[in-house]
Structure formats: C-alpha cells, structure tokens
Amino acid sequence: MKAVITAIGGFVPTSILNNKTISETVETTEEWIEKRTGIKERRIAVGKGTSDLASAAIENLMSNYEVDPSEIDALILATATPDHLLAPTASKICELSGLTNAFGFDMNGACSGFLYALEMGATMIESGRYKKIIVVGADKMSSIVDYDDRNTCILFGDGAGAVLLEKTETEYGLMKSILRTDGSGTESLVVPAGGSKFPASMQSIVHKKHFIKQDGSFVFKKAVAAMSSVSRDVLLSNGLDAEEIDWVIPHQANLRIINAVSDSLNIGTEKVKVNIDRYGNTTSATIPLCLWDFAADFEEGQNLLITTFGAGFSWGATCLKWGVMRERKSHKAVKTGNKRKVLEPQLS
C-alpha cells in the first residue's frame, strides 16, 4: 500500500508587494532584488492569519474536486507562523474547513515543513489506519519580517497549498524519502524571541527580536550543498537516474539556489518548476503552491523529485510517481486568490 496525491488546492492573497515598493522603503533597487533572488513580487495577507490562508487553500481543493469533508481522517498543518503559540492552528483550520471527523496537528519544519508533513501523512496512510489525509503548507511570513531589513524583507511572501493523500495499491504515489536535520544551523536562520527560551519582553520588542534574522551567505551555501546531496541520495534510494525525472519541484527560496541545484544534478532547467518570481519564499507553502500552479503539466506515471532546505537546519528530498487525480466537479475549476492588488509603500 502507498499514499498518492489525488486532489490539490492553493491560495495566495490578492495584495501584492512588488520590488518597486520595497525599493522605496529600503536601500535597494528593483533590478538588484530580481538579479539576486529571482523574485519580482510576493503576496501579502492583510488582516488574515495562517488559518485563513490554509482554510482558503482547502476550500479551493474542495471546490474543484469531489471530496467529502466528513471523510477526512486527519489534517496535518506545516507552518512556521501559527496563529497562536497555543492552541494549534490546525484546530481552527478543521473548524473553518468543516473537517468535522478529522483530528489536526501542527508541524514546524520551517521551509522543509511540507515535505516532513507529506512523509508523515504518507506513513499514516501506509499503516492502513487512515484512508484520507489532507496535508497543508501555509505561512504568513509577513508577520515575522522586518520591512526595514533588506536582507530578509525582499525574500518572503504569504500563501498556502494543500493536497489530499489517499491509499493506493498501484505503482503511483510517494516513494522513499530522505529527511535531515542539523541543529547547529539554528542561529543562522531564526526568530530569536517569542518562544520559551526568550519570551516576549519590552527589550525583545525594542530590539526587533521577533523578526527573522538570517546569515544569508552561509544559508545559501548550505542550501545548495544539502539539496544537491540529498537529491542524489534519494534518487539512488529509489533506483532512479536523473534522466528518469520528469519534473523537479524545489523549495522556492532563491532562484540562484534552484539553478545551482539543477546544475549539480545535471537536470535541465526546463524540467524545474519555478514560481518564486510571483510569490517569493512562502516557506511551508512553496512546494504545495508549485504543485498547485503546475498540476496541469504533470501526467500520470511521471516521476517528480521534491527537495527542500530551511531553518533548523532542515532539509530533505522525496520522489513520487504522479497518479490519477480525483474527478473534478462539473463547474469551472476555481483558482482563488489570483486577483492583483498592489500594496502601497506604507507597508513599512
């Protein structure tokens, strides 16, 4: 028995923060941002939380496919930006999405969170104890970004993506995964305060310790090396050659990282799915948003390689053979959250 993706949904907010706006608030230019990152714009969730983003992605999934919410056994939320430290954001998502018979829980694997959650969901399906699981990756990164910090404010955006996992006895579905963690990288990409080690205080607020702090150069080098190495390992583990991969779905952190990894694997860029130019780095949402954006390109039986790297350090890779999607509803498929509303410079 294996777990296969049978439905997919996504959501991005309507408000857009483009490079022009950022260049008016910090010392940079539109051209510099795009050259260094590949990002042209990112979506910002104004007045919404992670639960709203995730439930909108699930609503998109439900609105396009024949899925009965009451049949969902579990919801796994991958996020680094929960609504609250307590209670779990997954609980609120279950309520908002009408998942009345599902239990839900949060996972924080940073940018690797969705891949970790996907592996968790797959093993739950493979155990035979669960039949239908929704895995959602959602982050409101704008809530932890300092828009006076050029090193981080150019990178991140908000969004969510969701997939439905079901059991199959066919050759389709998730193959072996390799997941890794190295805690020595914690200080290189971290939100220092707000947790149990450094609770919120007047000092933590004054010194902006509740925002992302990153050693960009060090993280960049680690990401390229880790994603390249683990991708080669997972191909070997699954008995696949790079030539047998039809599509690569990489974490969307930086276009230069993506290109370096594809070069290392000798996989042409025409096989690599990229949407960082439109969304930026949405952390836990990058992988499912890529799957959602490009689902029409994936054909039954094609091999996909997914690879990620994020804070923690956390990284990993998996392969999956694209299966048969659930029947679509008769009405025209809805892709929510794509209307454009450009943010004014007041964001900072």
Side-chain angles (χ1 to χ4, degrees), residues 42-297:
R42 64 288 291 147
R43 301 298 181 99
I44 303 297
V46 179
K48 301 290 185 180
T50 293
S51 62
D52 299 304
L53 301 176
S55 59
I58 294 171
E59 179 184 0
N60 178 254
L61 184 154
M62 297 285 189
S63 69
N64 288 333
Y65 296 92
E66 295 290 349
V67 180
D68 183 351
S70 67
E71 294 182 354
I72 303 302
D73 298 312
L75 168 76
I76 307 176
L77 168 67
T79 188
T81 57
D83 286 6
H84 313 283
L85 288 178
L86 187 76
T89 304
S91 300
K92 190 63 180 178
I93 296 169
C94 285
E95 178 194 22
L96 293 172
S97 301
L99 306 181
T100 55
N101 293 318
F103 72 93
F105 61 95
D106 298 2
M107 289 184 65
N108 182 359
C111 295
S112 297
F114 181 81
L115 179 56
Y116 284 15
L118 194 67
E119 174 73 359
M120 177 67 72
T123 56
M124 291 170 66
I125 293 289
E126 291 164 3
S127 75
R129 298 178 66 177
Y130 305 94
K131 297 180 179 179
K132 298 180 178 67
I133 296 175
I134 288 179
V135 180
V136 56
D139 270 303
K140 183 181 178 180
M141 296 304 294
S142 61
S143 66
I144 56 172
V145 168
D146 178 2
Y147 285 95
D148 291 325
D149 178 9
R150 189 186 71 165
N151 293 324
T152 56
C153 74
I154 64 175
L155 298 174
F156 296 97
D158 304 337
V163 300
L164 174 63
L165 288 178
E166 297 188 71
K167 67 177 182 179
T168 180
E169 296 181 1
T170 69
E171 62 177 338
Y172 304 132
L174 272 81
M175 305 181 202
K176 295 178 182 177
S177 301
I178 298 177
L179 307 177
R180 295 284 185 257
T181 298
D182 179 4
S184 67
T186 297
E187 301 305 315
S188 300
L189 180 52
V190 67
V191 176
S196 62
K197 190 170 184 178
F198 300 108
S201 67
M202 183 62 71
Q203 285 296 102
S204 70
I205 295 171
V206 168
H207 293 289
K208 295 187 173 184
K209 296 296 186 180
H210 300 274
F211 295 125
I212 299 171
K213 307 298 180 184
Q214 176 177 247
D215 181 348
S217 177
F218 182 68
V219 172
F220 181 99
K221 293 174 183 177
K222 285 288 187 179
V224 172
M227 291 171 68
S228 299
S229 175
V230 78
S231 294
R232 286 191 291 269
D233 289 346
V234 86
L235 289 174
L236 182 63
S237 177
N238 286 291
L240 293 171
D241 294 324
E243 295 78 16
E244 296 177 272
I245 295 299
D246 296 288
W247 302 108
V248 179
I249 315 296
H251 171 53
Q252 308 285 305
N254 185 304
L255 184 58
R256 293 187 300 141
I257 293 176
I258 294 171
N259 289 339
V261 171
S262 66
D263 287 345
S264 173
L265 299 175
N266 292 317
I267 295 177
T269 55
E270 71 278 0
K271 290 186 174 184
V272 182
K273 292 303 188 184
V274 175
N275 60 9
I276 191 175
D277 55 318
R278 291 177 287 124
Y279 303 145
N281 182 353
T282 55
T283 305
S284 302
T286 66
I287 297 299
L289 277 177
C290 253
L291 293 173
W292 175 62
D293 256 356
F294 300 108
D297 295 341

Side-chain angles (χ1 to χ4, degrees), residues 320-338:
L320 64 88
K321 190 174 290 291
W322 198 253
V324 179
M325 303 294 278
R326 271 177 167 257
E327 182 180 353
R328 281 187 172 268
K329 292 185 176 179
S330 57
H331 65 76
K332 185 177 180 181
V334 178
K335 210 170 188 181
T336 57
N338 278 333

